[in-house]
């Protein structure tokens, strides 16, 4: 069995902020902002409470940094979307498939959604920035793709608000899983869900539905 390389002190120090953010995420998910204690976050990492404050001055700043840290996959999703090619239909299917994998299918993003909902009133400016920086660009990408399809004759003319309807089933699935876990809402079969989702979507969107 290969022995794991021991990290140097400098490497440990470089990893410490991410370790703290990962631990903070678990504690905020478990207890909410008000119920989370910085010492519990420190215990998860194996450091003192003072060490946490070296990197993050307050619990509020730690919460904000944690939200931003766990929102990075949205930026990665957008970067992938920008590299897609093919028809508007093909690209929309790809983007929405990625969106589904990133929200209801990914535990971290599901729980991030829970925190955004539950702590929104406490941190309205943070949540607004989160939306503007991570969510709005994806919605704008979907809007632009639909308009491109309309302009080319691939899609029929649709209301401006159609993108909200497009992503609504994915968000609904996410919320239901957050509320019930797998007690009342069994984890959906991904392929079956996407087939039904795209069937409904494109029979409403395509200029000549299949």
């Amino acid at each position: 069995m290969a022995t794991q390389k021991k990290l140097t002190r400098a490497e440990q120090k470089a990893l410490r902020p991410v370790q703290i953010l990962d631990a903070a995420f678990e504690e905020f998910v478990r207890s909410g902002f008000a119920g989370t204690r910085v010492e519990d976050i420190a215990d998860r990492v194996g450091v003192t409470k003072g060490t946490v404050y070296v990197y993050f001055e307050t619990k509020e700043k730690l919460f904000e940094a944690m939200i931003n840290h766990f929102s990075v996959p949205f930026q990665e999703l957008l970067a992938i979307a920008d590299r897609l090619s093919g028809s508007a239909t093909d690209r929309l299917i790809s983007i929405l498939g990625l969106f589904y994998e990133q929200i209801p299918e990914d535990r971290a993003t599901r729980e991030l959604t829970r925190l955004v909902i539950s702590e929104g009133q406490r941190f309205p400016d943070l949540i607004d920035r989160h939306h503007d920086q991570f969510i709005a660009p994806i919605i704008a990408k979907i809007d632009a793709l639909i308009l491109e399809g309309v302009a080319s004759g691939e899609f029929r003319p649709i209301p401006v608000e159609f993108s909200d309807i497009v992503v609504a089933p994915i968000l609904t699935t996410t919320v239901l899983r957050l509320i019930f876990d797998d007690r009342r809402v069994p984890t959906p079969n991904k392929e079956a869900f996407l087939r039904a989702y795209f069937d409904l979507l494109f029979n409403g969107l395509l200029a000549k539905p299949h």
Side-chain angles (χ1 to χ4, degrees), residues 88 140-153 155 158-160:
K141 184 71 176 179
I142 293 172
D143 277 335
L145 193 50
I146 291 173
L147 290 175
E148 179 184 331
V150 171
S152 67
F155 299 155
I158 45 85
V160 175

Side-chain angles (χ1 to χ4, degrees), residues 156 198-206 209-210:
R156 66 184 180 84
F198 293 143
D199 180 65
L200 289 171
L201 172 62
F202 289 108
N203 273 289
L205 185 59
L206 290 175
H210 298 301

Side-chain angles (χ1 to χ4, degrees), residues 105-176:
E105 288 278 286
D106 183 78
R107 183 249 174 185
T109 310
R110 282 201 313 272
E111 295 299 340
L112 180 67
T113 303
R114 186 197 303 276
L115 288 170
V116 167
I117 294 170
S118 64
E119 305 295 344
Q121 286 188 318
R122 184 187 295 271
F123 298 99
D125 292 340
L126 169 61
I127 301 308
D128 286 351
R129 288 197 302 274
H130 171 270
H131 178 272
D132 293 345
Q133 185 175 357
F134 300 108
I135 305 301
I138 296 174
I139 300 300
K141 184 71 176 179
I142 293 172
D143 277 335
L145 193 50
I146 291 173
L147 290 175
E148 179 184 331
V150 171
S152 67
E154 188 173 344
F155 299 155
R156 66 184 180 84
I158 45 85
V160 175
E161 299 83 2
F162 194 78
S163 59
D164 292 335
I165 300 172
V166 168
V167 300
I170 295 176
L171 298 179
T172 299
T173 300
T174 304
V175 171
L176 288 174

Side-chain angles (χ1 to χ4, degrees), residues 1 6 25 30 33 44 59 100 111-112 115 121 128 134 151 159 162 167 170 176-178 181 203 208-209:
M1 180 184 295
K6 186 176 181 180
F25 174 79
R30 185 172 71 92
F33 180 84
R44 276 185 179 266
K59 189 168 78 166
Y100 179 82
E111 295 299 340
L112 180 67
L115 288 170
Q121 286 188 318
D128 286 351
F134 300 108
F162 194 78
V167 300
I170 295 176
L176 288 174
R177 290 189 66 182
L178 287 173
D181 198 10
N203 273 289
K208 295 180 179 180

